[in-house]
Amino acid sequence: MNATPAGPSVVIVDGYSNSGAYTGEYAALGVGALHVQSTAEFLPKMVPPDLSAYRETFVCEGPDAVEDLVERLRPYAPIAVSAGQEPGVPLADLLSERLGVATNGTAGSRARRDKFTMIETVRAAGLHCAEQFVGSDPAGITAWARERGSYPVVVKPRSSSSSDNVFVCRTEAEVTRAARSVLAGITMYDERNTDVLVQSHLDGTEYIVDTVSAHGRHAVCGVWRYDKNLLPSGRPLYDLDVLQDPDAPHVRELIAYVLRVLDALGIRHGPGHAEVIMTDSGPALVELGARLNGNMNPGHHEAFSGTNPARLAALAYARPAEFTARHGGTVYAKSCEAVVHNAATSREGLVTGIDTAVLDKIASLPTVREVVVRRPAGTRLVPTVDLMTSPLRVFHTARSQRDILADYRVVGQLTDDVFRLAGPAG
């Protein structure tokens, strides 16, 4: 092992996707970052971390390697351990507990990753949530839906994300097909599904509630409305995340509910990303991740609130007293309208190049702050069926929703032209 560097360090477990923002935020606080990879290889469906941003990197190749990893980390005297994205949550709980730093603890880890256990934990706390059943046999899943006697129902994996293999089913035949599809699939985290989760359909509008916590004191970073389209297959296609007015009555109700969910799931430290449906009976949890919102873009967030969840989470871990004094119990400000657009395509083929002229045209639209190409050259473009197959993510801000929606329509017209393809056209 190299000589340990001077100065405090924090451990980031699985720093995929936008959790790369952590390294700069910690550096601004005088804290270096160490990266821990929870699997022997990077997960193929996730954007890998930039390891050059870390002081040191480690790989945990399974449960038997945890104690060795703890001893290798001890000389760095980490002040905190945080999950970068969803697959790192259980290991972050374990490492933080073993290293004696702020921790959500291992006792509640399963409830923070397994969706069936999560909902049952929330139900036990007296909170409104879906009816549900879990099983490994499509016939059993179908029988539960039949005996319940009310459609639609939702069929999905027990532990995944990004709308991976989520189906809204209106008949027994659709439930059976969906259950078989889930069992045949591999999750976002490269794990084979051995169970299927079926839940009552929560009728209402779905929202995101993002939070950051320190010692059980929570700050609400954003509440967003999901605008979705339903594909003929029954899979929901996420289109827009629309920032909500923090003073709106429905937002206050959502926030109050999610704060109780955080407590029920034992999330006292770090970020939380909740998905909640506002039903006629009040809010009901879809799921909650103890990590950053995968759609969080620091510059976009700062444009409407003056800060971003990665910065708040870094402060919460590195300087918890300062975080609680400045942000504990607060709700984000909203200085302008903000939208995240997950663009869709019906084309398929190997991406041989990006048409920069078209991309520049999108980027120059008045409300567009940033465009993220999610299918670069050398990858395969496929028809969009979920968040992971969206080829572009576009971040908008403006004084009015009307201006954003005008540019959103232009992006929809231009998306397919961004990608030069070899293979099937369409």
Side-chain angles (χ1 to χ4, degrees):
M1 179 185 292
N2 297 335
T4 57
S9 295
V10 64
V11 176
I12 307 296
V13 182
D14 288 339
Y16 294 104
S17 186
N18 59 357
S19 65
Y22 274 141
T23 56
E25 299 295 356
Y26 277 111
L29 298 173
V31 178
L34 312 173
H35 187 266
V36 168
Q37 187 176 315
S38 70
T39 55
E41 305 292 337
F42 286 136
L43 298 176
K45 294 182 180 180
M46 303 193 74
V47 178
D50 174 11
L51 296 182
S52 69
Y54 292 89
R55 285 180 172 176
E56 187 67 81
T57 61
F58 304 84
V59 177
C60 184
E61 299 192 14
D64 294 340
V66 171
E67 290 308 316
D68 176 66
L69 175 60
V70 169
E71 295 310 312
R72 292 169 65 199
L73 290 170
R74 284 195 193 281
Y76 293 84
I79 62 171
V81 180
S82 179
Q85 283 295 330
E86 194 76 17
V89 169
L91 183 56
D93 288 343
L94 179 56
L95 292 177
S96 57
E97 194 171 76
R98 293 287 288 110
L99 290 166
V101 297
T103 183
N104 290 325
T106 56
S109 286
R110 184 173 179 83
R112 292 188 285 271
R113 281 287 291 115
D114 179 285
K115 295 177 184 180
F116 180 82
T117 306
M118 178 183 295
I119 295 302
E120 291 308 306
T121 302
V122 169
R123 192 192 320 281
L127 296 172
H128 180 221
C129 49
E131 301 172 34
Q132 61 175 0
F133 174 79
V134 69
S136 58
D137 178 11
I141 298 296
T142 305
W144 181 87
R146 181 191 312 118
E147 291 163 9
R148 184 174 176 275
S150 177
Y151 288 92
V153 295
V154 177
V155 175
K156 61 186 178 181
R158 193 166 179 168
S159 295
S160 194
S161 65
S162 298
S163 63
D164 170 41
N165 258 331
V166 176
F167 298 89
V168 178
C169 303
R170 291 175 169 78
T171 66
E172 285 187 31
E174 289 181 1
V175 171
T176 302
R177 283 196 299 269
R180 288 172 177 163
S181 179
V182 170
L183 288 170
I186 303 294
T187 73
M188 276 280 301
Y189 313 119
D190 211 29
E191 299 167 334
R192 179 162 293 283
N193 292 314
T194 58
D195 289 311
V196 180
L197 181 59
V198 56
Q199 297 175 323
S200 58
H201 184 263
L202 297 167
D203 190 22
T205 302
E206 188 171 0
Y207 295 88
I208 300 164
V209 181
D210 291 327
T211 59
V212 172
S213 308
H215 296 287
R217 291 278 287 159
H218 311 299
V220 180
C221 309
V223 177
W224 307 78
R225 185 188 72 233
Y226 273 139
D227 289 353
K228 296 179 284 187
N229 301 312
L230 197 63
L231 296 173
S233 65
R235 299 181 71 166
L237 186 59
Y238 289 76
D239 186 23
L240 300 178
D241 302 352
V242 181
L243 184 68
Q244 302 294 284
D245 180 347
D247 295 319
H250 73 283
V251 172
R252 291 296 183 183
E253 188 175 0
L254 287 162
I255 289 171
Y257 175 88
V258 168
L259 295 184
R260 292 182 64 192
V261 170
L262 291 173
D263 293 341
L265 296 177
I267 298 178
R268 294 177 48 80
H269 302 280
H273 170 59
E275 297 178 349
V276 183
I277 292 178
M278 182 62 85
T279 73
D280 289 342
S281 301
L285 182 69
V286 176
E287 59 189 69
L288 188 148
R291 42 84 175 177
L292 292 173
N293 181 342
N295 274 358
M296 191 280 297
N297 175 289
H300 184 239
H301 220 281
E302 288 158 18
F304 70 80
S305 74
T307 188
N308 72 78
R311 181 173 302 159
L312 292 175
L315 186 66
Y317 277 118
R319 301 177 186 173
E322 182 179 343
F323 170 86
T324 55
R326 291 174 55 191
H327 303 288
T330 63
V331 176
Y332 65 100
K334 178 188 172 186
S335 62
C336 64
E337 302 294 336
V339 166
V340 183
H341 175 200
N342 295 288
T345 184
S346 59
R347 300 180 71 201
E348 183 172 4
L350 178 68
V351 180
T352 59
I354 300 297
D355 191 320
T356 56
V358 177
L359 194 63
D360 289 346
K361 187 173 182 179
I362 292 174
S364 66
L365 292 169
T367 72
V368 172
R369 289 197 60 85
E370 187 170 344
V371 184
V372 177
V373 176
R374 307 187 70 235
R375 287 292 181 271
T379 63
R380 189 163 191 82
L381 190 73
V382 297
T384 305
V385 296
D386 54 22
L387 284 174
M388 291 310 299
T389 50
S390 166
L392 286 180
R393 187 169 289 159
V394 186
F395 298 87
H396 299 261
T397 57
R399 301 306 304 176
S400 78
Q401 285 286 350
R402 179 179 298 178
D403 291 342
I404 291 175
L405 290 176
D407 286 351
Y408 155 81
R409 287 189 285 270
V410 175
V411 172
Q413 295 166 358
L414 294 176
T415 295
D416 282 347
D417 295 334
V418 170
F419 302 92
R420 298 195 181 103
L421 302 182

